[in-house]
Amino acid sequence: MFLYKNISLYKVSLAIITIILSAIIISCSEESDPVAPQEDHFEAIGVVLYNSGIELASILRGETNDTLHAPLGEISDHFEVKFYNEDETIIDPPGTEHQTLSWEIADTSVAEVWQHPGEEGGFEFHLKGKKVGTTTLELFVLHEGHRDFRSGLFPVKVVE
Amino acid sequence: MLKSNIRRFRFIFTVYCALMISLFSVMNIYGMNYRTLEVNFSGIIIDLESNEPVEGAAVHILENDLFSTSDKNGKFNFSEIEEMIYSVEISHVAYKTKKITIDLSDQRDRAIIIYLEPKTIEISQIVVSTEKPRTLFEDMEESSNVLKGRELEKALGYNLAATLKNETGLAIRSMGPAPARPVIRGLGGDRVVISEDGGKTVDLSATSADHAVTVETFSVERIEVLRGPQVLLHSPTTIGGIVNVVRNEIPTERQNNITGNIGGYWETANSGLLGSGVVTVPVKNFSFRGEFSHRHAGDISTPIGTLKNSYSDNLNMSAGAGYIYDFGVLGFSYRNYELDYGVPGGFVGAHPGGVDIEMIRKQFNGKFIYNFESGLFENLEADFSRVYYRHKEFEASGNIGAEFRILDYLGRVQLNHRQIGFLTSGSTGISAEYRDFNIGGLVFTTPAKLLNLSAFLFEHFTTGNFHYEFAARYNIDKIDPLHKIYDDKLGQIKERNFSTYSFSFSTMYQLSEVVHFGANISKSSRVPTIEELFSRGPHLAAYSYEIGNPNLPDESGLGVELFVYHKFSNFFFNFNLFRNDINSYIIPRNTGEKNYQTFLSVYQTSSVDAVLQGFEGQIEYSPYDFFTISANISYTSGKYADNSKNLPQIPPLKSTLELKFSYENFSVSSGLEGASSQRKVDDFEQPTSGYIILNSTAQYSFQSGDLIHNISLNLDNIFNKEYRNHLSRVKSILPEAGRNVRLTYKMFFVL
């Protein structure tokens, strides 16, 4: 009952089965692309900025009373980034090379972030004022392309 | 004398021959003329509602008592009949008999299209064909919960949910136009199973509002909403339902001709374009089917502006083959579905520019049907599927925010029996599913593996004027997380095992040939999903920080439904009252808190006791052949059982009203679609205002040769009314689509 009745029918069947099996094999080979890893996410609820051990500003649960200042046309003091964990204890930044600092400035014509050459992505930065005005800065911990953490908005003021 | 006689004979013979030749010549001339007075008359008989060819219709030319019967492709033919005006009667046991007059007096061959209207009369156990309803329950289902043919083309929307939005009892959960999913009687998620040709559609649309359903609707033959005992053949959640899309991706019927359709549409609200083609080719005992569609839609325009990042692009292909022989069918198919779409942003908790999602589903299906010639059993059906599903959620910067991958194996064996004692018909079987679920990106939910084993039973029987359906299902589920650790937010993540059962019993009393009363009682079960158990972390496109609950119990519901069902030649109505008491109803609730690592709203999965109750009704009345008025109404109330507060995401009262005029192959309809305001909302949920919008549709069908052309012109939201869907997650930023003009063309061919 299951036997093919003639050779032409056999050829047609074989061709179709070959095509579909080929499609399956091709599609299966595309499935080997690994899923982005999840491990070692960094968890925090706030940021503290220091300069030589002196606290300059902090933001906790997205709220801050501090404003960062950047001199016009010049590089600001050094900002060292630390974090608050869920117990509001200050912790060091993540230590792996896969987790880096990134940021967004709302109006990049007012100010920009500057890092020392060779230290890009590290948890230290300076601000550089480009024109007098105000904008906001949000800091992120970037991990394999994902944002593990976002700080909320720091006001930034550029003065002469 | 002899010579004289010979001469006389020769003369007579010559005259005879001359006369005969003349006679033959005259006859020949007349004969030729007679043939010029003969014409060929052929046509195709089509189901008015489904657009499918009608096989076995008797075509009777009354004047000369000639008969022909339509073949599997609906074709009939009369050769060389005298040219004149004929009365033709077309009859079929499942359709209203139709009489037409055809003028063949102009010496031209004729090929026509004849639409037959399905009979809407009493049927108890009449088996009209394998595709027609076989029981009263199926007849009721067919009348009230099926979209097909021209009705489907008219209702065709942006996606599956939009296509079903005006069906009784259904609403749409959405997060922009592309990610939308049907909700039945206020129940969403995987309480509503979406299936294709009876096989579960594997994607993540049930788990989150931003995940799209991976089904293209333009190329489907019909969409049916299944409720009641038959749900348990496929799913344990009988208080919800199944939305089944029928394509016959693996051909299971032998046909004589190449058939198919090509078509497309264009619409204005999103500059949408779609092209589609389906072809089925028979080769001896094989039947091959191919399908292709491509849809592009831009950002959708609303009465108050464009909803940014609401685009979508879809590429859909499949190939299937069936070997159809006396023993039954052996077949397989392969489908590739790709969808890229945007989730709008710009509201509290959302990314300003929205999120982009790429998803792909690759599915291999195998099918085997073995028909028993005699005995208790009618046939054995076995289905197998392997599904690879993956989707990535991208931030505006192009970084991957979340990634999900499913590798799923599904198998099912079902044995269907003929009459056994008082049991008219029924099925029993087993099914299994193995799912490997992997998660990556900025989602901390543990990957997990799921195993489900089920056994099910379905029976139908009749005693006197009572008709019964009964079904039961037993399930064993094992959910095995990869990381069995203690988590400070979730607690101990551990393996979970469930054993659950469901049953459903329906009865219908046939008060008269056209009036039926009925009731259903169901015990439904549902196990928590992997996401509900182990979610922990931000979900980029859903704009939520999701926290699951590893200790969730299984969800158990007791549903009761009463219905009355009236079906006559020109009048149909159906009214249902329902109440579902659900223990451990699993819902993600907005806690009102923010996660200060991501600034997303925290949604905590919890289980509560809940009561969902309501009513729904539909009516269709045709006082004249050319005029039909129809309406439907649906209402659901959802409350927490312990404090009678409102459940979240319950659709408001919804209704439609439509007037339709039909003449021959042309119809035009106008209708109102509306919903009341929804003020009964959960904590931290926004209320929604009511609305009424006006829609209109014109449809025309015609035939040229072996081609049937259907054209639909839809005008949606004609007055460009601003309105919002209560179940839309983006309703706070922009309303639903504004005025839309959609032109749809579909051409069916039989070669």
Side-chain angles (χ1 to χ4, degrees), chain B residues 549-591:
Chain B
N549 181 352
N551 300 310
L552 285 172
D554 60 277
E555 188 177 292
S556 173
L558 186 65
V560 180
E561 180 176 351
L562 301 172
F563 55 87
V564 58
Y565 163 58
H566 178 109
K567 191 174 182 186
F568 197 55
S569 58
N570 62 346
F571 183 61
F572 164 78
F573 89 85
N574 185 12
F575 188 79
N576 300 52
L577 283 170
F578 65 89
R579 178 186 168 101
N580 295 316
D581 289 83
I582 307 175
N583 295 326
S584 306
Y585 182 59
I586 300 169
I587 47 170
R589 292 188 73 190
N590 188 341
T591 61

Side-chain angles (χ1 to χ4, degrees), chain A residues 5-6 13 16 20 24 27 30-31 33-34 36 38 41-44 61-62 86 145-148 150, chain B residues 284 286 288 325 334 362 364 386 388 390 399-400 403 439-445 489 596-597 599:
Chain A
K5 287 217 163 184
N6 56 50
S13 311
I16 296 295
I20 296 205
I24 293 166
S27 71
E30 292 171 6
E31 297 169 8
D33 182 21
Q38 303 185 283
H41 286 294
F42 179 72
E43 297 195 38
R61 296 190 179 90
E86 290 222 341
H146 320 300
R147 289 172 177 173
D148 271 5
R150 56 188 293 193
Chain B
K284 296 192 175 176
F286 280 92
F288 299 102
Y325 205 67
Y334 177 74
K362 301 173 182 179
F364 172 81
R386 178 193 185 273
Y388 171 80
R390 187 162 188 166
N399 293 332
I400 293 178
E403 187 171 3
I439 305 167
L442 191 58
V443 183
F444 307 139
T445 308
K489 289 189 172 65
Y596 291 104
Q597 181 168 316
F599 291 85

Side-chain angles (χ1 to χ4, degrees), chain B residues 72-130:
Chain B
K72 195 153 200 158
N73 301 307
K75 284 185 169 183
F76 67 90
N77 185 49
F78 293 96
S79 299
E80 297 182 352
I81 58 173
E82 189 177 355
E83 60 167 48
M84 59 182 284
I85 297 172
Y86 289 105
S87 298
V88 182
E89 185 177 271
I90 306 100
S91 58
H92 187 285
V93 66
Y95 295 86
K96 290 180 181 175
T97 297
K98 187 168 188 173
K99 266 188 187 174
I100 59 170
T101 301
I102 181 87
D103 185 357
L104 302 178
S105 61
D106 55 1
Q107 301 184 11
R108 290 193 307 169
D109 290 348
R110 271 294 193 295
I112 64 167
I113 173 174
I114 300 169
Y115 284 97
L116 287 187
E117 186 179 351
K119 274 181 183 172
T120 50
I121 53 169
E122 77 321 314
I123 37 181
S124 52
Q125 292 301 86
I126 297 174
V127 178
V128 288
S129 85
T130 54

Side-chain angles (χ1 to χ4, degrees), chain B residues 438-456:
Chain B
N438 202 350
I439 305 167
L442 191 58
V443 183
F444 307 139
T445 308
T446 176
K449 292 181 169 62
L450 176 148
L451 178 67
N452 166 265
L453 300 171
S454 303
F456 53 85

Side-chain angles (χ1 to χ4, degrees), chain A residues 125-141:
Chain A
F125 68 93
H126 300 262
L127 283 172
K128 182 179 179 183
K130 296 169 78 174
K131 73 176 183 186
V132 174
T134 57
T135 183
T136 57
L137 167 72
E138 184 165 25
L139 299 172
F140 305 99
V141 176

